[in-house]
Amino acid sequence: MDRSEDQILVEELAALGAASGGSGRLTGLVARLLRKNAHEIELVIALPFDEAVQHVVTVLAGAGRPGRALQVDSGRDQEMIRVVTGGGVGGLNPVVVTAQVRRGTEAGTEVRLRAAAKEGLVKQRAGEKTAARLAALLSP
């Protein structure tokens, strides 16, 4: 992926600040100082690798914000899919979701799902909640 999780979160929060009539630049500066709430979940999907990748792409594309591109990084034995979705109260807090799909065993394909969001004064645990919600959608 070309941009880091933190860069994406700062840019998303700055855009949100600018859209609400505030200073996007100031919001971006403050966002750099905020703590990040990240959560990872390991899954095994009982599908062959190519079908599992397509399943993950479909689920994450459905969770992503309209107008935002889904990023896919391909490799021989793994695929990385990243999307920005909304979390927290009203779905306004940007959450970066990254799924690493790896060729597994005969039992299925391994998926490491990571969701990260910036936390303000009110702890919403948007990263944890988003990871759990998407893991439930990915599991059969």
Side-chain angles (χ1 to χ4, degrees), residues 50-128:
D50 293 329
E51 290 179 39
V53 169
Q54 188 56 46
H55 178 62
V56 171
V57 166
T58 301
V59 169
L60 292 186
R65 290 192 172 157
R68 299 280 193 254
L70 183 75
Q71 297 177 346
V72 179
D73 236 358
S74 295
R76 204 174 104 182
D77 289 329
Q78 74 176 16
E79 299 270 343
M80 187 181 297
I81 303 109
R82 180 173 279 169
V83 68
V84 177
T85 187
V89 177
L92 294 175
N93 193 7
V95 181
V96 175
V97 179
T98 306
Q100 214 172 12
V101 184
R102 294 182 305 268
R103 233 175 255 287
T105 63
E106 292 179 15
T109 303
E110 299 172 0
V111 178
R112 173 180 284 165
L113 185 66
R114 177 180 170 87
K118 292 288 188 169
E119 287 282 323
L121 292 174
V122 177
K123 305 297 181 212
Q124 298 182 43
R125 295 184 311 279
E128 292 175 44

